[in-house]
Amino acid sequence: MFIAVGCVAAAVHLAMAFVLVQYGDMRPALANIPAFACAFLVSFTGHSRHTFQTDAPPGWWRWLQVSVAGFLLNQGLYMLALRLFPQVWYVLLLASVTALVAFASYHLGRVWAFST
């Protein structure tokens, strides 16, 4: 279930980034911030209800911490990738970075954020 929820959250993240860059005239690295915020809401809701099946109050706070750490890693790697690979489509770079960060997020979610 983690993969399904993660894919939906990632799709929201990528779609929001695309819309904000194409139609909101934002730079890709800046558009990543509100796009991440939207994806967080989808991610927490899906993971708490379906992946880890808990409504424990610490879950949202811990998942927020995991997500913010993941976002910081995501943003740093994304900005590096944009600089190193300017010829590659920004959405593809964001998708690649997001997939890498997802592995760490799953582990932290399972062993800490949603544990009871």
Side-chain angles (χ1 to χ4, degrees), residues 33 41 64 106:
I33 297 168
L41 296 174
L64 178 62
Y106 171 75

Side-chain angles (χ1 to χ4, degrees), residues 10 16 27 29 35 71-72 77 87 94 98 104 110 112 114:
M16 286 299 301
R27 293 188 348 249
F71 171 74
L72 293 174
L77 291 174
Q87 71 282 6
L94 182 56
T98 300
R110 185 173 57 82
W112 182 63
F114 292 105

Side-chain angles (χ1 to χ4, degrees), residues 2 52 63 66-67 70-71 100-110:
F2 181 83
F52 303 109
W63 188 246
V66 168
S67 295
F71 171 74
L100 289 173
V101 173
F103 290 109
S105 296
Y106 171 75
H107 180 69
L108 287 172
R110 185 173 57 82

Side-chain angles (χ1 to χ4, degrees), residues 4-113:
V5 171
C7 285
V8 171
V12 167
H13 190 161
L14 296 174
M16 286 299 301
F18 177 80
V19 167
L20 291 170
V21 170
Q22 295 301 313
Y23 303 106
D25 201 30
M26 293 179 81
R27 293 188 348 249
L30 185 59
N32 192 32
I33 297 168
F36 168 81
C38 292
F40 170 78
L41 296 174
V42 172
S43 174
F44 175 75
T45 301
H47 289 313
S48 65
R49 293 185 181 170
H50 303 292
T51 304
F52 303 109
Q53 299 176 350
T54 182
D55 287 324
W60 78 270
W61 176 243
R62 289 179 181 177
W63 188 246
L64 178 62
Q65 291 176 62
V66 168
S67 295
V68 168
F71 171 74
L72 293 174
L73 180 60
N74 177 292
Q75 186 72 350
L77 291 174
Y78 185 45
M79 291 176 71
L80 180 64
L82 286 168
R83 182 171 298 207
L84 293 176
F85 307 105
Q87 71 282 6
V88 178
W89 189 36
Y90 67 92
V91 175
L92 182 59
L93 292 174
L94 182 56
S96 300
V97 166
T98 300
L100 289 173
V101 173
F103 290 109
S105 296
Y106 171 75
H107 180 69
L108 287 172
R110 185 173 57 82
V111 300
W112 182 63

